[in-house]
Every structure is written in C-alpha cells, then in structure tokens.
Amino acid sequence: MDLIYYLELAVNGAMGGLMYSLVAMGIVLIYKSSSVPNLAQGALTMVAAYMVLAFADALGIAPLVAMPLAAATMFLCGMLIEKVALRRLAGWPIVMVLMMTLGLDIFMRAVTLTFWGGSARTLDLGIPDTPLFIGPLLINRAYVVGAIVALVFFVIFRLFFRTRRGILLRAIADDYVASWSVGISVEHGVALSWALSAVTATAAGALWGSVQTVDQGLSLLLLKGLTVAVLGGLDSIGGAILAGLLLGILENIMAGYLDPLLGGGTRELVVALVLILTIMIRPFGLFGKHDIERI
C-alpha cells in the first residue's frame, strides 16, 4: 500500500470536503431560522455561478471581480424568494415548505437551462492549475482556496450567531408563535437567512465552477451539501465543517481504493451510504440538537 498516495487523497479530500461545507452551511443557515431543510441550495449554487459569469461577460471584468456583484444580487434574490414563495406558507405544515424548496430547485434549474443552455462553461478565478507541493504531496490549489474560504465563512457565521440578530434567528427556529408573540419579525428573520444562504451559494458556486466548469451538474452539489449538513447536524455550523472534512476524506480515499477495482462511480455510492446510515443511526447528526417531544 502506497501511504503517500493515500495521504495525498486524504489531504485533497479534506480540502474538497470543506468546499462541500460551503453548500452545507447554506442549508444549515435556513434550517436554523425555519427548521426546514432547503432542497434548493444546489440550484442556488448553480444560479450563483451563472450570475458570476453573466456579470463578468456583461461588464468585461474578471470573474473574481464579478463575485461581489453576484453576491449582492444573490442576496436580493434570497430575500425575494422568501417574500414571494415562502412567506405565504408561514404556519403551514413543514412538509409543504419542504416541497416548495424542491419546486424552487426544479424552477431554477429550468430557468438556467433556458437562458444559458446545457453546455459547460469555464469559470476562471485566476487560481493556477499547477498543484501545490507540500513535501511529496500534490495538493489541488483550488481546493486550498476553497477550504480557506469555507473556514472564513465559518468564522463569520459563528460570530454572527452571537450577535442580537443571530440570536433572534435561533429564537425564530425554536418557536415561530412565541417569536411573533414577543414582537420578533419572523418574516424578516427568515428572509435574512435565505439572503445569507444565497451569498454562501455564490462563493460555493464560483469555487466549484472553477473546478468542474459551470453547468447543470453544479445543482447536484445538493446531495453532497445535504449529506454534510445531516451528518454534522442540521442546526450546527461547526458540525458542517467537521462533517465536510470527514465526508471529503472518506469519499476520496474510498474512491481511490475502489474505483480501480469497480471501474469508477464509488464517490456517489459513499455519499449515499453516509447519508442513509446517518439518518438510520443518528438522525440529529454529530452535533445537532436532539429534541424530545411529548406525544
């Protein structure tokens, strides 16, 4: 067994897993304010990547420079999604809101297919293609940048949820009615969580778009992000980071070992198994809040 090879897989997997955490954090942000898993996060990530390209092409600027403009636009889009599609469902069963997020996912994928087509487009953030050498290890530079960005977002959100606004979002997630009764604007709180989730999607979309091009396949990051969010705990930002590391390492090592034996395709199998086993064994995740309700 080549230990250097598997160590290299583990390090690159950890970096890629942190990039999955960017998608997962968008899911966690919305769950922490509405207790609803957001099934539209993958499509939001894809739309954000297309938005970066649209600003870059329209203004003749580099995609990296276009990212703040795309993030601001996605912030407004997140607010609009909550106001138009989700606010009217306040007080309805959770399953109806969940189905709405699935409908939004389908709608956004259809819109991007209509306006930009299905062909893959290159998104160049200026990250060199040459690997980063750390001793005998070859590390993907895009993964390193993505991991750093994920950690920066983690720190920002950890600090945010200690502010007054962040505490209000946590109160909203615990009890809508109680929050309304004490004068908390539940609608504005949930809208803010969608807006922040859309900004996170912009970073994830641009980074993953630079790694695997921008096309409809970016929406499939929902599976990876949802798995990380469930494994870490749907209401835990820190859990999303740790779970991303664990999933990325496991996925990369298992694929490196099994793909030559089985002919490929084991990454998706590993992710699906992790999601299924987590729900079966520990449905509230590694760091999620375990609520016990009286029946």
Side-chain angles (χ1 to χ4, degrees), residues 96-164:
M96 300 304 297
V97 186
L98 186 66
M99 290 300 101
M100 175 59 81
T101 66
L102 178 60
L104 288 169
D105 173 85
I106 297 169
F107 174 76
M108 285 188 282
R109 286 192 281 117
V111 167
T112 55
L113 191 61
T114 300
F115 282 94
W116 287 289
S119 58
R121 301 181 61 185
T122 302
L123 198 162
D124 184 8
L125 294 180
I127 303 172
D129 293 330
T130 55
L132 179 66
F133 289 88
I134 302 179
L137 305 181
L138 277 68
I139 311 299
N140 189 315
R141 291 179 186 266
Y143 286 172
V144 174
V145 173
I148 293 172
V149 172
L151 292 175
V152 169
F153 270 88
F154 164 70
V155 172
I156 290 172
F157 289 138
R158 287 284 290 184
L159 294 175
F160 171 74
F161 279 105
R162 295 180 181 177
T163 65
R164 183 176 182 275

Short mmCIF file of all heavy atoms in Angstrom, two decimals, residues 96-164:
data_model
loop_
_atom_site.label_atom_id
_atom_site.label_comp_id
_atom_site.label_asym_id
_atom_site.label_seq_id
_atom_site.Cartn_x
_atom_site.Cartn_y
_atom_site.Cartn_z
N MET A 96 -45.04 21.07 3.48
CA MET A 96 -45.42 21.95 2.38
C MET A 96 -44.27 22.91 2.04
O MET A 96 -44.00 23.18 0.87
CB MET A 96 -46.68 22.74 2.74
CG MET A 96 -47.88 21.86 3.03
SD MET A 96 -48.27 20.74 1.66
CE MET A 96 -48.68 21.89 0.36
N VAL A 97 -43.59 23.43 3.06
CA VAL A 97 -42.45 24.31 2.82
C VAL A 97 -41.31 23.53 2.18
O VAL A 97 -40.63 24.03 1.27
CB VAL A 97 -41.98 24.95 4.15
CG1 VAL A 97 -40.90 25.98 3.88
CG2 VAL A 97 -43.14 25.59 4.88
N LEU A 98 -41.13 22.29 2.62
CA LEU A 98 -40.09 21.44 2.04
C LEU A 98 -40.35 21.20 0.56
O LEU A 98 -39.44 21.28 -0.28
CB LEU A 98 -40.04 20.10 2.79
CG LEU A 98 -38.92 19.13 2.42
CD1 LEU A 98 -37.57 19.72 2.81
CD2 LEU A 98 -39.13 17.79 3.09
N MET A 99 -41.61 20.94 0.22
CA MET A 99 -41.96 20.73 -1.19
C MET A 99 -41.77 22.01 -2.01
O MET A 99 -41.43 21.97 -3.18
CB MET A 99 -43.41 20.24 -1.30
CG MET A 99 -43.64 18.83 -0.80
SD MET A 99 -42.65 17.59 -1.70
CE MET A 99 -41.32 17.31 -0.53
N MET A 100 -41.99 23.15 -1.37
CA MET A 100 -41.76 24.41 -2.06
C MET A 100 -40.29 24.58 -2.41
O MET A 100 -39.95 25.03 -3.51
CB MET A 100 -42.24 25.59 -1.22
CG MET A 100 -41.93 26.96 -1.81
SD MET A 100 -42.68 27.22 -3.45
CE MET A 100 -44.35 27.66 -2.95
N THR A 101 -39.39 24.22 -1.48
CA THR A 101 -37.96 24.33 -1.79
C THR A 101 -37.58 23.38 -2.92
O THR A 101 -36.72 23.72 -3.75
CB THR A 101 -37.10 24.03 -0.55
OG1 THR A 101 -37.25 22.67 -0.15
CG2 THR A 101 -37.46 24.96 0.60
N LEU A 102 -38.22 22.21 -2.98
CA LEU A 102 -37.96 21.29 -4.09
C LEU A 102 -38.46 21.88 -5.40
O LEU A 102 -37.79 21.80 -6.44
CB LEU A 102 -38.64 19.95 -3.82
CG LEU A 102 -38.49 18.88 -4.92
CD1 LEU A 102 -37.02 18.55 -5.16
CD2 LEU A 102 -39.27 17.62 -4.54
N GLY A 103 -39.64 22.52 -5.35
CA GLY A 103 -40.16 23.19 -6.54
C GLY A 103 -39.26 24.31 -7.00
O GLY A 103 -39.04 24.51 -8.21
N LEU A 104 -38.68 25.06 -6.04
CA LEU A 104 -37.75 26.12 -6.39
C LEU A 104 -36.50 25.56 -7.06
O LEU A 104 -35.96 26.16 -8.01
CB LEU A 104 -37.35 26.90 -5.13
CG LEU A 104 -38.43 27.81 -4.54
CD1 LEU A 104 -38.00 28.31 -3.16
CD2 LEU A 104 -38.70 29.00 -5.47
N ASP A 105 -36.03 24.41 -6.59
CA ASP A 105 -34.87 23.76 -7.20
C ASP A 105 -35.15 23.43 -8.66
O ASP A 105 -34.34 23.75 -9.55
CB ASP A 105 -34.55 22.48 -6.43
CG ASP A 105 -33.45 21.66 -7.10
OD1 ASP A 105 -32.27 21.95 -6.86
OD2 ASP A 105 -33.80 20.73 -7.86
N ILE A 106 -36.30 22.83 -8.92
CA ILE A 106 -36.66 22.48 -10.30
C ILE A 106 -36.81 23.73 -11.16
O ILE A 106 -36.36 23.79 -12.31
CB ILE A 106 -37.97 21.66 -10.31
CG1 ILE A 106 -37.76 20.34 -9.55
CG2 ILE A 106 -38.43 21.39 -11.74
CD1 ILE A 106 -39.04 19.58 -9.28
N PHE A 107 -37.45 24.76 -10.60
CA PHE A 107 -37.66 26.01 -11.34
C PHE A 107 -36.35 26.67 -11.71
O PHE A 107 -36.15 27.09 -12.87
CB PHE A 107 -38.51 26.96 -10.49
CG PHE A 107 -38.69 28.32 -11.10
CD1 PHE A 107 -39.57 28.52 -12.15
CD2 PHE A 107 -37.97 29.41 -10.62
CE1 PHE A 107 -39.73 29.78 -12.71
CE2 PHE A 107 -38.13 30.67 -11.16
CZ PHE A 107 -39.01 30.85 -12.22
N MET A 108 -35.42 26.78 -10.76
CA MET A 108 -34.14 27.45 -11.04
C MET A 108 -33.30 26.66 -12.05
O MET A 108 -32.62 27.25 -12.90
CB MET A 108 -33.37 27.66 -9.74
CG MET A 108 -33.92 28.78 -8.89
SD MET A 108 -32.90 29.20 -7.45
CE MET A 108 -33.36 27.87 -6.34
N ARG A 109 -33.35 25.34 -11.99
CA ARG A 109 -32.62 24.55 -12.99
C ARG A 109 -33.21 24.76 -14.38
O ARG A 109 -32.48 24.83 -15.38
CB ARG A 109 -32.62 23.07 -12.60
CG ARG A 109 -31.68 22.77 -11.44
CD ARG A 109 -31.44 21.29 -11.24
NE ARG A 109 -32.54 20.67 -10.54
CZ ARG A 109 -33.32 19.72 -11.03
NH1 ARG A 109 -33.14 19.31 -12.27
NH2 ARG A 109 -34.28 19.18 -10.32
N ALA A 110 -34.54 24.87 -14.45
CA ALA A 110 -35.19 25.10 -15.74
C ALA A 110 -34.86 26.49 -16.29
O ALA A 110 -34.62 26.66 -17.50
CB ALA A 110 -36.70 24.93 -15.60
N VAL A 111 -34.81 27.49 -15.41
CA VAL A 111 -34.51 28.86 -15.84
C VAL A 111 -33.09 28.95 -16.39
O VAL A 111 -32.85 29.54 -17.46
CB VAL A 111 -34.71 29.84 -14.67
CG1 VAL A 111 -34.10 31.20 -15.00
CG2 VAL A 111 -36.19 30.00 -14.37
N THR A 112 -32.12 28.37 -15.67
CA THR A 112 -30.73 28.44 -16.15
C THR A 112 -30.56 27.67 -17.46
O THR A 112 -29.81 28.09 -18.34
CB THR A 112 -29.77 27.86 -15.10
OG1 THR A 112 -30.18 26.54 -14.75
CG2 THR A 112 -29.75 28.73 -13.86
N LEU A 113 -31.30 26.57 -17.61
CA LEU A 113 -31.22 25.81 -18.86
C LEU A 113 -31.79 26.62 -20.01
O LEU A 113 -31.28 26.59 -21.14
CB LEU A 113 -31.97 24.49 -18.71
CG LEU A 113 -31.80 23.45 -19.81
CD1 LEU A 113 -30.33 23.03 -19.93
CD2 LEU A 113 -32.67 22.24 -19.55
N THR A 114 -32.84 27.39 -19.73
CA THR A 114 -33.47 28.20 -20.77
C THR A 114 -32.57 29.36 -21.20
O THR A 114 -32.42 29.64 -22.40
CB THR A 114 -34.82 28.76 -20.27
OG1 THR A 114 -35.68 27.67 -19.94
CG2 THR A 114 -35.47 29.64 -21.33
N PHE A 115 -31.97 30.05 -20.25
CA PHE A 115 -31.19 31.25 -20.55
C PHE A 115 -29.75 30.96 -20.97
O PHE A 115 -29.19 31.66 -21.80
CB PHE A 115 -31.19 32.20 -19.35
CG PHE A 115 -32.45 32.98 -19.19
CD1 PHE A 115 -33.47 32.52 -18.38
CD2 PHE A 115 -32.64 34.17 -19.88
CE1 PHE A 115 -34.65 33.24 -18.23
CE2 PHE A 115 -33.81 34.90 -19.75
CZ PHE A 115 -34.83 34.42 -18.92
N TRP A 116 -29.13 29.94 -20.38
CA TRP A 116 -27.72 29.69 -20.65
C TRP A 116 -27.45 28.35 -21.35
O TRP A 116 -26.31 28.06 -21.67
CB TRP A 116 -26.92 29.75 -19.34
CG TRP A 116 -26.76 31.14 -18.82
CD1 TRP A 116 -25.98 32.13 -19.36
CD2 TRP A 116 -27.38 31.72 -17.67
NE1 TRP A 116 -26.08 33.28 -18.61
CE2 TRP A 116 -26.94 33.06 -17.57
CE3 TRP A 116 -28.28 31.23 -16.71
CZ2 TRP A 116 -27.36 33.91 -16.55
CZ3 TRP A 116 -28.69 32.08 -15.69
CH2 TRP A 116 -28.24 33.41 -15.63
N GLY A 117 -28.47 27.56 -21.55
CA GLY A 117 -28.27 26.28 -22.22
C GLY A 117 -27.62 25.25 -21.32
O GLY A 117 -27.35 25.50 -20.15
N GLY A 118 -27.38 24.08 -21.90
CA GLY A 118 -26.84 22.98 -21.10
C GLY A 118 -25.35 22.76 -21.27
O GLY A 118 -24.78 21.88 -20.62
N SER A 119 -24.70 23.54 -22.13
CA SER A 119 -23.27 23.33 -22.36
C SER A 119 -22.45 23.88 -21.20
O SER A 119 -22.81 24.88 -20.58
CB SER A 119 -22.83 24.00 -23.67
OG SER A 119 -23.13 25.38 -23.65
N ALA A 120 -21.33 23.22 -20.93
CA ALA A 120 -20.46 23.62 -19.82
C ALA A 120 -19.69 24.89 -20.18
O ALA A 120 -19.28 25.08 -21.33
CB ALA A 120 -19.49 22.49 -19.49
N ARG A 121 -19.51 25.76 -19.20
CA ARG A 121 -18.77 27.00 -19.39
C ARG A 121 -17.65 27.08 -18.37
O ARG A 121 -17.79 26.67 -17.22
CB ARG A 121 -19.70 28.20 -19.25
CG ARG A 121 -20.86 28.21 -20.23
CD ARG A 121 -21.74 29.43 -20.06
NE ARG A 121 -21.00 30.67 -20.30
CZ ARG A 121 -21.52 31.88 -20.12
NH1 ARG A 121 -22.76 32.02 -19.67
NH2 ARG A 121 -20.79 32.95 -20.36
N THR A 122 -16.53 27.64 -18.80
CA THR A 122 -15.36 27.75 -17.94
C THR A 122 -15.45 29.00 -17.08
O THR A 122 -15.82 30.08 -17.55
CB THR A 122 -14.07 27.81 -18.78
OG1 THR A 122 -13.99 26.63 -19.58
CG2 THR A 122 -12.85 27.89 -17.87
N LEU A 123 -15.12 28.84 -15.79
CA LEU A 123 -15.09 29.97 -14.87
C LEU A 123 -13.69 30.04 -14.28
O LEU A 123 -13.29 29.19 -13.49
CB LEU A 123 -16.14 29.79 -13.76
CG LEU A 123 -16.54 31.04 -12.96
CD1 LEU A 123 -17.85 30.79 -12.23
CD2 LEU A 123 -15.48 31.46 -11.95
N ASP A 124 -12.93 31.05 -14.71
CA ASP A 124 -11.53 31.16 -14.31
C ASP A 124 -11.38 32.22 -13.22
O ASP A 124 -11.56 33.41 -13.46
CB ASP A 124 -10.68 31.54 -15.53
CG ASP A 124 -9.19 31.59 -15.20
OD1 ASP A 124 -8.81 31.18 -14.08
OD2 ASP A 124 -8.40 32.04 -16.06
N LEU A 125 -11.06 31.77 -12.01
CA LEU A 125 -10.87 32.69 -10.88
C LEU A 125 -9.41 33.09 -10.71
O LEU A 125 -9.05 33.76 -9.75
CB LEU A 125 -11.37 32.04 -9.59
CG LEU A 125 -12.88 31.77 -9.50
CD1 LEU A 125 -13.22 31.12 -8.17
CD2 LEU A 125 -13.68 33.05 -9.69
N GLY A 126 -8.58 32.68 -11.65
CA GLY A 126 -7.16 33.03 -11.56
C GLY A 126 -6.36 32.12 -10.67
O GLY A 126 -5.20 32.43 -10.34
N ILE A 127 -6.92 30.99 -10.27
CA ILE A 127 -6.20 30.03 -9.44
C ILE A 127 -5.34 29.16 -10.35
O ILE A 127 -5.85 28.55 -11.29
CB ILE A 127 -7.17 29.14 -8.65
CG1 ILE A 127 -8.10 30.01 -7.78
CG2 ILE A 127 -6.42 28.14 -7.77
CD1 ILE A 127 -9.21 29.24 -7.11
N PRO A 128 -4.04 29.09 -10.12
CA PRO A 128 -3.16 28.30 -11.01
C PRO A 128 -3.57 26.83 -11.05
O PRO A 128 -4.01 26.26 -10.05
CB PRO A 128 -1.77 28.47 -10.38
CG PRO A 128 -1.86 29.73 -9.56
CD PRO A 128 -3.27 29.78 -9.06
N ASP A 129 -3.41 26.23 -12.23
CA ASP A 129 -3.72 24.80 -12.38
C ASP A 129 -2.63 23.90 -11.81
O ASP A 129 -2.88 22.74 -11.49
CB ASP A 129 -3.92 24.46 -13.86
CG ASP A 129 -5.17 25.13 -14.44
OD1 ASP A 129 -6.13 25.34 -13.67
OD2 ASP A 129 -5.17 25.46 -15.64
N THR A 130 -1.44 24.44 -11.70
CA THR A 130 -0.34 23.63 -11.19
C THR A 130 -0.57 23.29 -9.72
O THR A 130 -1.03 24.12 -8.95
CB THR A 130 1.00 24.38 -11.31
OG1 THR A 130 0.88 25.64 -10.64
CG2 THR A 130 1.35 24.61 -12.77
N PRO A 131 -0.29 22.05 -9.32
CA PRO A 131 -0.52 21.65 -7.93
C PRO A 131 0.44 22.32 -6.97
O PRO A 131 1.51 22.79 -7.34
CB PRO A 131 -0.31 20.13 -7.97
CG PRO A 131 0.62 19.91 -9.12
CD PRO A 131 0.26 20.95 -10.14
N LEU A 132 0.03 22.36 -5.72
CA LEU A 132 0.86 22.89 -4.65
C LEU A 132 1.63 21.72 -4.04
O LEU A 132 1.04 20.72 -3.63
CB LEU A 132 -0.01 23.56 -3.59
CG LEU A 132 0.70 24.15 -2.36
CD1 LEU A 132 1.58 25.32 -2.77
CD2 LEU A 132 -0.34 24.59 -1.33
N PHE A 133 2.95 21.83 -3.99
CA PHE A 133 3.79 20.75 -3.47
C PHE A 133 4.05 20.97 -1.98
O PHE A 133 4.59 22.00 -1.58
CB PHE A 133 5.12 20.67 -4.23
CG PHE A 133 4.98 20.15 -5.63
CD1 PHE A 133 4.72 21.03 -6.68
CD2 PHE A 133 5.09 18.80 -5.89
CE1 PHE A 133 4.58 20.55 -7.97
CE2 PHE A 133 4.96 18.32 -7.19
CZ PHE A 133 4.70 19.19 -8.23
N ILE A 134 3.64 20.02 -1.16
CA ILE A 134 3.96 20.02 0.27
C ILE A 134 4.72 18.73 0.55
O ILE A 134 4.14 17.66 0.75
CB ILE A 134 2.69 20.11 1.14
CG1 ILE A 134 1.90 21.37 0.81
CG2 ILE A 134 3.06 20.08 2.62
CD1 ILE A 134 0.63 21.53 1.60
N GLY A 135 6.03 18.83 0.51
CA GLY A 135 6.84 17.62 0.59
C GLY A 135 6.55 16.75 -0.62
O GLY A 135 6.58 17.23 -1.77
N PRO A 136 6.23 15.47 -0.41
CA PRO A 136 5.93 14.60 -1.54
C PRO A 136 4.47 14.68 -1.99
O PRO A 136 4.07 14.02 -2.95
CB PRO A 136 6.22 13.21 -0.98
CG PRO A 136 5.92 13.33 0.48
CD PRO A 136 6.31 14.74 0.86
N LEU A 137 3.66 15.50 -1.32
CA LEU A 137 2.22 15.56 -1.61
C LEU A 137 1.92 16.62 -2.65
O LEU A 137 2.50 17.70 -2.66
CB LEU A 137 1.43 15.87 -0.33
CG LEU A 137 1.64 14.94 0.86
CD1 LEU A 137 0.77 15.38 2.02
CD2 LEU A 137 1.34 13.49 0.48
N LEU A 138 0.98 16.29 -3.55
CA LEU A 138 0.49 17.23 -4.56
C LEU A 138 -0.92 17.64 -4.17
O LEU A 138 -1.83 16.81 -4.12
CB LEU A 138 0.49 16.59 -5.96
CG LEU A 138 1.81 16.59 -6.75
CD1 LEU A 138 2.82 15.68 -6.08
CD2 LEU A 138 1.56 16.14 -8.19
N ILE A 139 -1.10 18.93 -3.88
CA ILE A 139 -2.37 19.43 -3.40
C ILE A 139 -2.99 20.35 -4.45
O ILE A 139 -2.32 21.21 -5.01
CB ILE A 139 -2.20 20.21 -2.07
CG1 ILE A 139 -1.37 19.40 -1.08
CG2 ILE A 139 -3.56 20.56 -1.49
CD1 ILE A 139 -1.95 18.07 -0.70
N ASN A 140 -4.27 20.16 -4.71
CA ASN A 140 -5.01 21.00 -5.65
C ASN A 140 -5.16 22.41 -5.08
O ASN A 140 -5.74 22.59 -4.01
CB ASN A 140 -6.38 20.37 -5.92
CG ASN A 140 -7.13 21.06 -7.05
OD1 ASN A 140 -7.18 22.27 -7.12
ND2 ASN A 140 -7.72 20.27 -7.93
N ARG A 141 -4.64 23.40 -5.79
CA ARG A 141 -4.68 24.78 -5.28
C ARG A 141 -6.11 25.30 -5.15
O ARG A 141 -6.42 26.08 -4.24
CB ARG A 141 -3.89 25.70 -6.22
CG ARG A 141 -2.38 25.47 -6.19
CD ARG A 141 -1.67 26.40 -7.16
NE ARG A 141 -0.26 26.09 -7.25
CZ ARG A 141 0.69 26.68 -6.52
NH1 ARG A 141 0.35 27.62 -5.65
NH2 ARG A 141 1.96 26.35 -6.67
N ALA A 142 -6.99 24.90 -6.06
CA ALA A 142 -8.39 25.35 -5.98
C ALA A 142 -9.03 24.84 -4.70
O ALA A 142 -9.83 25.54 -4.06
CB ALA A 142 -9.16 24.86 -7.20
N TYR A 143 -8.69 23.61 -4.30
CA TYR A 143 -9.23 23.07 -3.05
C TYR A 143 -8.70 23.84 -1.85
O TYR A 143 -9.42 24.05 -0.87
CB TYR A 143 -8.86 21.60 -2.92
CG TYR A 143 -9.64 20.66 -3.81
CD1 TYR A 143 -9.30 19.31 -3.91
CD2 TYR A 143 -10.73 21.11 -4.56
CE1 TYR A 143 -10.02 18.44 -4.72
CE2 TYR A 143 -11.44 20.26 -5.38
CZ TYR A 143 -11.08 18.92 -5.46
OH TYR A 143 -11.79 18.07 -6.26
N VAL A 144 -7.43 24.25 -1.91
CA VAL A 144 -6.85 25.02 -0.81
C VAL A 144 -7.59 26.35 -0.65
O VAL A 144 -7.98 26.74 0.46
CB VAL A 144 -5.35 25.26 -1.04
CG1 VAL A 144 -4.79 26.19 0.03
CG2 VAL A 144 -4.59 23.95 -1.04
N VAL A 145 -7.81 27.04 -1.77
CA VAL A 145 -8.53 28.32 -1.73
C VAL A 145 -9.95 28.09 -1.21
O VAL A 145 -10.45 28.84 -0.36
CB VAL A 145 -8.55 28.97 -3.12
CG1 VAL A 145 -9.44 30.21 -3.12
CG2 VAL A 145 -7.14 29.33 -3.57
N GLY A 146 -10.62 27.04 -1.71
CA GLY A 146 -11.98 26.75 -1.28
C GLY A 146 -12.06 26.44 0.20
O GLY A 146 -12.99 26.88 0.89
N ALA A 147 -11.06 25.71 0.71
CA ALA A 147 -11.04 25.38 2.13
C ALA A 147 -10.87 26.64 2.98
O ALA A 147 -11.54 26.80 4.02
CB ALA A 147 -9.91 24.40 2.41
N ILE A 148 -10.00 27.55 2.54
CA ILE A 148 -9.79 28.80 3.28
C ILE A 148 -11.07 29.64 3.30
O ILE A 148 -11.47 30.18 4.34
CB ILE A 148 -8.62 29.60 2.67
CG1 ILE A 148 -7.31 28.84 2.87
CG2 ILE A 148 -8.54 30.99 3.27
CD1 ILE A 148 -6.13 29.44 2.14
N VAL A 149 -11.74 29.72 2.14
CA VAL A 149 -12.99 30.49 2.06
C VAL A 149 -14.05 29.88 2.98
O VAL A 149 -14.77 30.60 3.69
CB VAL A 149 -13.50 30.54 0.61
CG1 VAL A 149 -14.90 31.15 0.55
CG2 VAL A 149 -12.54 31.34 -0.27
N ALA A 150 -14.14 28.54 3.01
CA ALA A 150 -15.11 27.87 3.88
C ALA A 150 -14.84 28.19 5.35
O ALA A 150 -15.78 28.46 6.12
CB ALA A 150 -15.07 26.36 3.65
N LEU A 151 -13.58 28.19 5.74
CA LEU A 151 -13.24 28.50 7.13
C LEU A 151 -13.53 29.96 7.47
O LEU A 151 -13.96 30.26 8.59
CB LEU A 151 -11.76 28.18 7.38
CG LEU A 151 -11.40 26.69 7.34
CD1 LEU A 151 -9.89 26.50 7.47
CD2 LEU A 151 -12.13 25.92 8.44
N VAL A 152 -13.33 30.85 6.51
CA VAL A 152 -13.65 32.26 6.73
C VAL A 152 -15.15 32.43 6.95
O VAL A 152 -15.59 33.14 7.88
CB VAL A 152 -13.17 33.12 5.54
CG1 VAL A 152 -13.75 34.54 5.63
CG2 VAL A 152 -11.66 33.19 5.50
N PHE A 153 -15.96 31.78 6.12
CA PHE A 153 -17.42 31.84 6.29
C PHE A 153 -17.83 31.24 7.63
O PHE A 153 -18.75 31.73 8.29
CB PHE A 153 -18.12 31.12 5.14
CG PHE A 153 -18.44 32.00 3.97
CD1 PHE A 153 -17.51 32.19 2.96
CD2 PHE A 153 -19.66 32.64 3.87
CE1 PHE A 153 -17.79 33.00 1.87
CE2 PHE A 153 -19.96 33.45 2.80
CZ PHE A 153 -19.02 33.64 1.79
N PHE A 154 -17.17 30.16 8.03
CA PHE A 154 -17.47 29.53 9.31
C PHE A 154 -17.26 30.52 10.45
O PHE A 154 -18.11 30.66 11.35
CB PHE A 154 -16.58 28.31 9.50
CG PHE A 154 -16.52 27.80 10.91
CD1 PHE A 154 -17.62 27.20 11.50
CD2 PHE A 154 -15.36 27.94 11.66
CE1 PHE A 154 -17.57 26.74 12.81
CE2 PHE A 154 -15.29 27.48 12.96
CZ PHE A 154 -16.40 26.88 13.54
N VAL A 155 -16.13 31.21 10.45
CA VAL A 155 -15.83 32.19 11.50
C VAL A 155 -16.86 33.32 11.48
O VAL A 155 -17.37 33.75 12.54
CB VAL A 155 -14.41 32.76 11.33
CG1 VAL A 155 -14.18 33.91 12.30
CG2 VAL A 155 -13.38 31.65 11.56
N ILE A 156 -17.20 33.81 10.29
CA ILE A 156 -18.17 34.90 10.17
C ILE A 156 -19.52 34.49 10.75
O ILE A 156 -20.15 35.23 11.53
CB ILE A 156 -18.32 35.32 8.70
CG1 ILE A 156 -17.06 36.02 8.21
CG2 ILE A 156 -19.53 36.24 8.52
CD1 ILE A 156 -17.05 36.31 6.72
N PHE A 157 -19.99 33.29 10.40
CA PHE A 157 -21.30 32.85 10.87
C PHE A 157 -21.29 32.53 12.36
O PHE A 157 -22.29 32.74 13.06
CB PHE A 157 -21.79 31.66 10.06
CG PHE A 157 -22.17 32.00 8.65
CD1 PHE A 157 -21.82 31.19 7.59
CD2 PHE A 157 -22.88 33.16 8.38
CE1 PHE A 157 -22.16 31.51 6.29
CE2 PHE A 157 -23.22 33.51 7.08
CZ PHE A 157 -22.87 32.68 6.04
N ARG A 158 -20.18 32.01 12.87
CA ARG A 158 -20.09 31.76 14.31
C ARG A 158 -20.22 33.08 15.07
O ARG A 158 -20.92 33.15 16.10
CB ARG A 158 -18.76 31.09 14.65
CG ARG A 158 -18.65 29.65 14.23
CD ARG A 158 -19.41 28.73 15.14
NE ARG A 158 -18.79 28.64 16.46
CZ ARG A 158 -19.22 27.84 17.42
NH1 ARG A 158 -20.27 27.08 17.21
NH2 ARG A 158 -18.60 27.80 18.58
N LEU A 159 -19.56 34.10 14.57
CA LEU A 159 -19.67 35.42 15.22
C LEU A 159 -21.06 36.01 15.03
O LEU A 159 -21.62 36.62 15.94
CB LEU A 159 -18.61 36.37 14.63
CG LEU A 159 -17.15 36.00 14.92
CD1 LEU A 159 -16.21 36.95 14.18
CD2 LEU A 159 -16.86 36.03 16.42
N PHE A 160 -21.64 35.79 13.85
CA PHE A 160 -22.96 36.34 13.56
C PHE A 160 -24.01 35.80 14.52
O PHE A 160 -24.87 36.55 15.01
CB PHE A 160 -23.36 36.03 12.12
CG PHE A 160 -24.79 36.36 11.80
CD1 PHE A 160 -25.18 37.68 11.63
CD2 PHE A 160 -25.74 35.36 11.67
CE1 PHE A 160 -26.51 38.00 11.34
CE2 PHE A 160 -27.06 35.66 11.39
CZ PHE A 160 -27.45 36.99 11.22
N PHE A 161 -23.98 34.50 14.80
CA PHE A 161 -25.00 33.91 15.66
C PHE A 161 -24.81 34.24 17.13
O PHE A 161 -25.59 33.82 17.97
CB PHE A 161 -25.07 32.40 15.45
CG PHE A 161 -25.86 32.01 14.23
CD1 PHE A 161 -25.24 31.58 13.08
CD2 PHE A 161 -27.25 32.12 14.23
CE1 PHE A 161 -25.97 31.25 11.96
CE2 PHE A 161 -27.99 31.80 13.11
CZ PHE A 161 -27.36 31.36 11.97
N ARG A 162 -23.77 35.01 17.44
CA ARG A 162 -23.61 35.55 18.79
C ARG A 162 -24.10 36.98 18.89
O ARG A 162 -24.15 37.55 19.99
CB ARG A 162 -22.15 35.48 19.22
CG ARG A 162 -21.63 34.04 19.36
CD ARG A 162 -20.17 34.03 19.79
NE ARG A 162 -19.67 32.66 19.90
CZ ARG A 162 -18.42 32.34 20.21
NH1 ARG A 162 -17.54 33.30 20.44
NH2 ARG A 162 -18.06 31.08 20.29
N THR A 163 -24.45 37.56 17.74
CA THR A 163 -24.99 38.91 17.74
C THR A 163 -26.49 38.87 18.05
O THR A 163 -27.11 37.81 18.07
CB THR A 163 -24.77 39.59 16.37
OG1 THR A 163 -25.54 38.88 15.37
CG2 THR A 163 -23.30 39.58 15.99
N ARG A 164 -27.07 40.04 18.27
CA ARG A 164 -28.50 40.12 18.56
C ARG A 164 -29.32 39.54 17.42
O ARG A 164 -30.29 38.80 17.64
CB ARG A 164 -28.90 41.57 18.82
CG ARG A 164 -30.35 41.76 19.22
CD ARG A 164 -30.64 43.21 19.56
NE ARG A 164 -32.03 43.38 19.99
CZ ARG A 164 -33.04 43.57 19.15
NH1 ARG A 164 -32.82 43.62 17.84
NH2 ARG A 164 -34.28 43.71 19.61
#
